[in-house]
Amino acid sequence: MSNREPGKTDILQGTLDIMVLQTLTTLGPVHGYAIATRLEQVSNGAIHLNMGTLYPGLMRLEQRGLVRGKWGVTENNRKARFYAITAAGRRELTAEKAEWERTASIMHALLNEPQ
Amino acid sequence: MTLREWLNRVWGTFRRTRTDRDLEDELQVHLELAGDEERRRGDLEGGAVRAARLRVGAVPQAMEAQRDQRSLTWLEDLARDLRFACRTLRKAPGFTAAAVVTLALGIGVNTAIFSIVNGVLLNPLPYSGPDQLVALYSRTADQRRDNSSYPNFLDWVRGNRSFSDLAAFREDGLNLIGLGQPERVPAEMVSASFFRLLGVQPILGRPFLATDDLLGAAPVVLISENFWKRKFDSSTSRSVRR
């Protein structure tokens, strides 16, 4: 894509799911904004999710039964929709993680081949 | 797309799993939280809202993306088109009737033609070895397909080396009297080999024998089951004479 903003990493296709599931495992049930903030912090600002990417992604995870969303109240007494990972979501994360690590180690071995 | 996601989206197409209002509320919360953060960073009120919107994206676009994910857009469009078509048809009963009649006629004619093609061309004849049945004709100088004389047929039978059997038939019509109302009966004059060749057995009585073909033999007739029921009342007695 030629018109992407400089310095922003495009979300690799398929990585949003695993990132969201991992975040929910780490933080417990949180709302969408907290997920986006967390990903931005962990990636030192490299990952920036706008609403049009994040919420359809969450909806897809919900439709697949990997997360469950429920309206609740934040510590600042604000209504927000909280997402929690389900048992199926945890299984999916474990499988995806293993797959991701396998791919990464293959790439690592390949790219660090002695010249 | 997993099956579960797909089913969810089909469901979401017809029953709103989450209302537009619900989706928009969630986006508004996101926007407000982003605004809070901008304010904490020391932005002015107006600037904070703008900065937040720039950072997290606009609500309408996000709404559109969520709607696309919520349901199967093409299915939703299809359902909407169908509803629109039904409404339009209801509003124009004359046009609807014409369209329905046209379709009904078209389907009816097609079905009829297929029935004929199926019976005549596709289904095999109800005789033994239907794929081996052939019709033989004589050919003359001015006729591609001419009838043959009975003596010629006998010559064919004598010289036959190609076919397992040969039979002759001639279409005829007979006048029937003495059995209630006189009537014209369609008939076929056939050689004794006819039913043997087709592998057809009479329900009652005997098939034609080679001796029936001899000159001076007593005439033999085989009637259809329908004729037997209609004219002889399905009687098995042989009292009826010609």
Side-chain angles (χ1 to χ4, degrees), chain B residues 82-209:
Chain B
L82 280 177
R83 274 198 296 274
F84 177 69
C86 288
R87 266 205 313 277
T88 313
L89 287 176
R90 250 204 314 276
K91 256 193 277 181
F95 172 78
T96 307
V100 167
V101 168
T102 308
L103 281 174
L105 278 177
I107 293 167
V109 167
N110 259 302
T111 311
I113 289 176
F114 176 74
S115 305
I116 294 169
V117 168
N118 190 39
V120 175
L121 298 178
L122 303 180
N123 277 348
L125 295 166
Y127 308 124
S128 69
D131 52 331
Q132 293 179 321
L133 279 178
V134 293
L136 298 178
Y137 298 91
S138 305
R139 193 171 183 172
T140 57
D142 54 348
Q143 287 280 349
R144 268 171 51 81
R145 285 180 172 188
D146 207 356
N147 291 327
S148 306
S149 69
Y150 187 64
N152 272 350
F153 167 69
L154 293 179
D155 285 344
W156 292 0
V157 171
R158 203 171 304 123
N160 169 39
R161 280 181 294 119
S162 310
F163 301 104
S164 59
D165 210 349
L166 281 98
F169 62 93
R170 197 185 90 188
E171 201 176 337
D172 210 344
L174 299 174
N175 297 321
L176 179 78
I177 52 169
L179 265 177
Q181 286 283 323
E183 61 179 275
R184 184 81 175 156
V185 183
E188 296 276 347
M189 295 176 73
V190 303
S191 64
S193 54
F194 188 77
F195 292 107
R196 184 181 68 211
L197 183 145
L198 296 179
V200 175
Q201 285 291 323
I203 299 170
L204 276 174
R206 63 168 177 84
F208 296 164
L209 304 172

Side-chain angles (χ1 to χ4, degrees), chain B residues 32-44:
Chain B
E32 282 165 26
L33 289 168
D36 287 354
E37 195 174 320
E38 297 296 335
R39 264 189 293 276
R40 267 201 304 280
R41 284 182 192 167
D43 255 318
L44 297 167

